[in-house]
Amino acid sequence: MEFEKYTERSRGFFQAAISLATQLNHQQLTPFHLLKVLLNDENGLGAKLIRISGGKPKKVLQDVEVELKKIASVQGDATGQIFLSKETKKLMEYSEQIAEKAGDKFVTAEKILLALTISKGTVTAKIIADAGVTAQNMNKAIENLRKGHTVNSPTVEDTYDALNKYAFDLTIAAAEGKIDPVIGRDEEIRRTIQVLTRRTKNNPILIGE
């Protein structure tokens, strides 16, 4: 396994997984450690992809934590020495194959999650499937996230879903009843709609009342 093939975010998840294994006094880095750190943030990419795929991120996380408790901890001189388990090595090889097949130059976090999902006969794949995720739905969710783009940069994940990160969708907020109604501003509302919907000079900026 060559870490230079992985994006910066993927490497960050590896570092977090190693820190978790160290914290738990585990001697080996397993797919369970990786899956847990991918889901630690309930608003993060891993949880979002599972949710979009029709699954329950919290159930996946709970089941992974059960498996982590089954791993024996070590004490003494061996503490802090983390090795890749055989299953993790296979997982990484599979992730690299999936990325290469997709035309990516780097392995992203979502490809690691996809590998965890479709690795036949593994406990992690069963955990994700039991939470309601199918390989087909996961792959579709990733394709929607990628929007047809391949990965040619180790920092490409910073651009994912950028609009939702830095903007506020007023249409969705209005549909969900999160915006108070505007009363007595009919003229201003009509003018605002006119500005926003025109086909020329279509970079409006709204200033003042």
Side-chain angles (χ1 to χ4, degrees):
M1 183 178 65
E2 301 174 18
F3 273 103
E4 61 268 21
K5 290 184 178 180
Y6 291 74
T7 61
E8 290 183 3
R9 183 175 292 186
S10 293
R11 296 177 204 175
F13 280 120
F14 269 104
Q15 290 299 324
I18 291 171
S19 296
L20 175 64
T22 302
Q23 178 186 344
L24 298 174
N25 291 326
H26 292 164
Q27 197 167 19
Q28 290 189 326
L29 179 66
T30 71
F32 300 123
H33 295 100
L34 281 166
L35 185 52
K36 178 172 170 57
V37 298
L38 280 167
L39 293 174
N40 268 346
D41 181 0
E42 65 179 18
N43 295 315
L45 181 64
K48 180 179 178 180
L49 285 172
I50 288 177
R51 199 176 296 115
I52 293 173
S53 301
K56 300 176 181 178
K58 287 186 178 180
K59 176 171 172 50
V60 176
L61 188 57
Q62 290 169 355
D63 290 349
V64 166
E65 288 173 346
V66 169
E67 294 299 326
L68 285 170
K69 290 178 181 178
K70 296 178 183 179
I71 300 175
S73 59
V74 296
Q75 304 295 331
D77 295 338
T79 302
Q81 298 179 11
I82 307 297
F83 304 95
L84 294 180
S85 70
K86 180 176 64 176
E87 293 78 14
T88 300
K89 290 178 181 177
K90 287 183 179 179
L91 173 69
M92 295 303 98
E93 290 174 1
Y94 196 23
S95 300
E96 291 168 15
Q97 290 171 8
I98 292 173
E100 185 177 354
K101 186 176 180 180
D104 296 340
K105 292 183 178 179
F106 298 90
V107 180
T108 56
E110 72 270 13
K111 291 301 183 183
I112 296 175
L113 181 59
L114 180 61
L116 286 162
T117 303
I118 63 179
S119 296
K120 293 181 179 179
T122 64
V123 179
T124 51
K126 185 178 185 304
I127 287 173
I128 296 172
D130 288 347
V133 178
T134 65
Q136 183 179 8
N137 285 348
M138 175 61 73
N139 200 40
K140 185 178 179 181
I142 292 173
E143 287 177 357
N144 289 337
L145 175 74
R146 292 279 199 90
K147 301 187 185 304
H149 297 297
T150 55
V151 176
N152 297 312
S153 164
T155 60
V156 69
E157 288 151 315
D158 294 338
T159 64
Y160 286 173
D161 208 15
L163 189 60
N164 286 331
K165 286 181 182 178
Y166 304 112
F168 184 67
D169 194 321
L170 293 174
T171 303
I172 293 176
E176 293 176 349
K178 294 180 179 179
I179 295 180
D180 293 334
V182 179
I183 300 172
R185 309 285 282 191
D186 291 350
E187 181 62 31
E188 290 84 353
I189 291 172
R190 278 195 293 270
R191 178 58 180 153
T192 299
I193 293 173
Q194 182 185 31
V195 169
L196 292 174
T197 58
R198 66 191 178 190
R199 301 188 66 179
T200 59
K201 301 181 181 178
N202 57 352
N203 291 300
I205 177 171
L206 306 178
I207 300 173
E209 297 182 2

CSV table of all heavy atoms in Angstrom, one decimal, residues 109-135:
chain,number,residue,atom,x,y,z
A,109,ALA,N,-12.0,9.2,0.3
A,109,ALA,CA,-12.6,8.6,1.5
A,109,ALA,C,-13.9,7.8,1.1
A,109,ALA,O,-14.1,6.7,1.6
A,109,ALA,CB,-13.0,9.7,2.5
A,110,GLU,N,-14.6,8.3,0.1
A,110,GLU,CA,-15.8,7.6,-0.3
A,110,GLU,C,-15.5,6.3,-1.0
A,110,GLU,O,-16.4,5.3,-0.9
A,110,GLU,CB,-16.7,8.5,-1.2
A,110,GLU,CG,-16.2,8.7,-2.6
A,110,GLU,CD,-15.4,10.0,-2.7
A,110,GLU,OE1,-15.0,10.5,-1.6
A,110,GLU,OE2,-15.1,10.4,-3.8
A,111,LYS,N,-14.4,6.2,-1.6
A,111,LYS,CA,-14.0,4.9,-2.3
A,111,LYS,C,-13.6,3.9,-1.2
A,111,LYS,O,-13.9,2.7,-1.3
A,111,LYS,CB,-12.8,5.1,-3.2
A,111,LYS,CG,-13.2,5.9,-4.5
A,111,LYS,CD,-14.3,5.2,-5.3
A,111,LYS,CE,-14.6,5.9,-6.6
A,111,LYS,NZ,-15.7,5.3,-7.3
A,112,ILE,N,-13.1,4.3,-0.1
A,112,ILE,CA,-12.8,3.4,1.0
A,112,ILE,C,-14.1,2.9,1.6
A,112,ILE,O,-14.3,1.8,1.9
A,112,ILE,CB,-11.9,4.1,2.1
A,112,ILE,CG1,-10.6,4.5,1.6
A,112,ILE,CG2,-11.8,3.3,3.4
A,112,ILE,CD1,-9.7,5.3,2.5
A,113,LEU,N,-15.1,3.9,1.8
A,113,LEU,CA,-16.4,3.5,2.3
A,113,LEU,C,-17.1,2.5,1.3
A,113,LEU,O,-17.7,1.5,1.8
A,113,LEU,CB,-17.3,4.7,2.5
A,113,LEU,CG,-18.7,4.5,3.0
A,113,LEU,CD1,-18.6,3.8,4.4
A,113,LEU,CD2,-19.4,5.8,3.1
A,114,LEU,N,-16.9,2.7,0.0
A,114,LEU,CA,-17.5,1.8,-1.0
A,114,LEU,C,-16.9,0.4,-0.8
A,114,LEU,O,-17.6,-0.6,-0.9
A,114,LEU,CB,-17.3,2.4,-2.4
A,114,LEU,CG,-17.9,1.5,-3.5
A,114,LEU,CD1,-19.4,1.3,-3.4
A,114,LEU,CD2,-17.6,2.2,-4.9
A,115,ALA,N,-15.6,0.4,-0.7
A,115,ALA,CA,-14.9,-0.9,-0.5
A,115,ALA,C,-15.4,-1.6,0.7
A,115,ALA,O,-15.5,-2.8,0.7
A,115,ALA,CB,-13.4,-0.7,-0.4
A,116,LEU,N,-15.6,-0.9,1.8
A,116,LEU,CA,-16.1,-1.4,3.1
A,116,LEU,C,-17.5,-2.0,2.8
A,116,LEU,O,-17.9,-3.0,3.4
A,116,LEU,CB,-16.2,-0.4,4.2
A,116,LEU,CG,-14.8,0.0,4.8
A,116,LEU,CD1,-15.0,1.4,5.5
A,116,LEU,CD2,-14.3,-1.0,5.8
A,117,THR,N,-18.2,-1.4,1.9
A,117,THR,CA,-19.6,-1.8,1.7
A,117,THR,C,-19.7,-3.0,0.8
A,117,THR,O,-20.6,-3.9,1.0
A,117,THR,CB,-20.4,-0.6,1.0
A,117,THR,OG1,-20.3,0.5,1.8
A,117,THR,CG2,-21.8,-1.0,0.7
A,118,ILE,N,-18.8,-3.2,-0.1
A,118,ILE,CA,-19.0,-4.2,-1.1
A,118,ILE,C,-18.0,-5.4,-1.0
A,118,ILE,O,-17.9,-6.2,-1.8
A,118,ILE,CB,-18.9,-3.7,-2.6
A,118,ILE,CG1,-17.6,-3.0,-2.9
A,118,ILE,CG2,-20.0,-2.7,-2.8
A,118,ILE,CD1,-17.5,-2.5,-4.3
A,119,SER,N,-17.2,-5.3,0.1
A,119,SER,CA,-16.2,-6.4,0.3
A,119,SER,C,-16.9,-7.6,0.8
A,119,SER,O,-17.4,-7.7,2.0
A,119,SER,CB,-15.2,-6.0,1.4
A,119,SER,OG,-14.4,-4.9,0.9
A,120,LYS,N,-17.2,-8.6,-0.1
A,120,LYS,CA,-18.0,-9.8,0.2
A,120,LYS,C,-17.4,-10.6,1.3
A,120,LYS,O,-16.2,-10.8,1.4
A,120,LYS,CB,-18.1,-10.6,-1.1
A,120,LYS,CG,-18.9,-10.0,-2.2
A,120,LYS,CD,-19.0,-10.9,-3.4
A,120,LYS,CE,-19.8,-10.2,-4.5
A,120,LYS,NZ,-19.9,-11.1,-5.7
A,121,GLY,N,-18.3,-11.1,2.2
A,121,GLY,CA,-17.9,-12.0,3.3
A,121,GLY,C,-17.2,-11.3,4.5
A,121,GLY,O,-16.8,-12.0,5.4
A,122,THR,N,-17.2,-10.0,4.5
A,122,THR,CA,-16.6,-9.3,5.6
A,122,THR,C,-17.7,-8.8,6.6
A,122,THR,O,-18.8,-8.6,6.2
A,122,THR,CB,-15.8,-8.0,5.2
A,122,THR,OG1,-16.7,-7.1,4.6
A,122,THR,CG2,-14.7,-8.4,4.1
A,123,VAL,N,-17.3,-8.6,7.9
A,123,VAL,CA,-18.2,-8.2,8.9
A,123,VAL,C,-18.7,-6.8,8.6
A,123,VAL,O,-19.8,-6.4,8.8
A,123,VAL,CB,-17.6,-8.3,10.3
A,123,VAL,CG1,-18.5,-7.8,11.4
A,123,VAL,CG2,-17.2,-9.7,10.6
A,124,THR,N,-17.7,-5.9,8.2
A,124,THR,CA,-18.1,-4.5,7.9
A,124,THR,C,-19.2,-4.4,6.8
A,124,THR,O,-20.1,-3.6,6.9
A,124,THR,CB,-16.9,-3.7,7.5
A,124,THR,OG1,-16.2,-4.4,6.4
A,124,THR,CG2,-15.9,-3.5,8.6
A,125,ALA,N,-19.1,-5.2,5.8
A,125,ALA,CA,-20.0,-5.2,4.7
A,125,ALA,C,-21.4,-5.7,5.2
A,125,ALA,O,-22.4,-5.1,4.9
A,125,ALA,CB,-19.6,-6.1,3.6
A,126,LYS,N,-21.4,-6.6,6.1
A,126,LYS,CA,-22.7,-7.1,6.7
A,126,LYS,C,-23.3,-6.0,7.6
A,126,LYS,O,-24.5,-5.8,7.6
A,126,LYS,CB,-22.4,-8.4,7.6
A,126,LYS,CG,-23.7,-9.0,8.1
A,126,LYS,CD,-23.4,-10.3,8.9
A,126,LYS,CE,-24.7,-10.9,9.4
A,126,LYS,NZ,-25.6,-10.0,10.1
A,127,ILE,N,-22.4,-5.3,8.4
A,127,ILE,CA,-22.9,-4.3,9.3
A,127,ILE,C,-23.6,-3.2,8.4
A,127,ILE,O,-24.7,-2.7,8.8
A,127,ILE,CB,-21.8,-3.6,10.1
A,127,ILE,CG1,-21.3,-4.6,11.2
A,127,ILE,CG2,-22.2,-2.3,10.7
A,127,ILE,CD1,-20.1,-4.2,11.9
A,128,ILE,N,-23.0,-2.8,7.3
A,128,ILE,CA,-23.5,-1.7,6.5
A,128,ILE,C,-24.8,-2.2,5.8
A,128,ILE,O,-25.8,-1.5,5.7
A,128,ILE,CB,-22.5,-1.3,5.5
A,128,ILE,CG1,-21.3,-0.6,6.2
A,128,ILE,CG2,-23.1,-0.3,4.5
A,128,ILE,CD1,-20.1,-0.3,5.3
A,129,ALA,N,-24.8,-3.5,5.3
A,129,ALA,CA,-26.0,-4.0,4.7
A,129,ALA,C,-27.2,-4.1,5.7
A,129,ALA,O,-28.3,-3.8,5.3
A,129,ALA,CB,-25.7,-5.4,4.1
A,130,ASP,N,-26.9,-4.5,6.9
A,130,ASP,CA,-27.9,-4.7,7.9
A,130,ASP,C,-28.5,-3.3,8.3
A,130,ASP,O,-29.7,-3.2,8.8
A,130,ASP,CB,-27.4,-5.3,9.2
A,130,ASP,CG,-27.1,-6.8,9.0
A,130,ASP,OD1,-27.5,-7.4,8.0
A,130,ASP,OD2,-26.4,-7.4,9.9
A,131,ALA,N,-27.8,-2.2,8.0
A,131,ALA,CA,-28.3,-0.9,8.3
A,131,ALA,C,-29.1,-0.3,7.1
A,131,ALA,O,-29.6,0.8,7.2
A,131,ALA,CB,-27.1,0.1,8.6
A,132,GLY,N,-29.3,-1.2,6.1
A,132,GLY,CA,-30.2,-0.8,5.0
A,132,GLY,C,-29.5,-0.3,3.7
A,132,GLY,O,-30.2,0.3,2.9
A,133,VAL,N,-28.2,-0.4,3.6
A,133,VAL,CA,-27.5,0.1,2.5
A,133,VAL,C,-27.1,-1.1,1.5
A,133,VAL,O,-26.6,-2.1,1.9
A,133,VAL,CB,-26.1,0.7,2.9
A,133,VAL,CG1,-25.4,1.2,1.7
A,133,VAL,CG2,-26.4,1.9,3.9
A,134,THR,N,-27.4,-0.8,0.3
A,134,THR,CA,-27.0,-1.8,-0.8
A,134,THR,C,-25.9,-1.2,-1.5
A,134,THR,O,-25.7,0.0,-1.6
A,134,THR,CB,-28.2,-2.0,-1.8
A,134,THR,OG1,-28.5,-0.8,-2.5
A,134,THR,CG2,-29.4,-2.5,-1.1
A,135,ALA,N,-25.1,-2.1,-2.1
A,135,ALA,CA,-23.9,-1.6,-2.9
A,135,ALA,C,-24.3,-0.7,-4.1
A,135,ALA,O,-23.7,0.3,-4.4
A,135,ALA,CB,-23.2,-2.8,-3.5
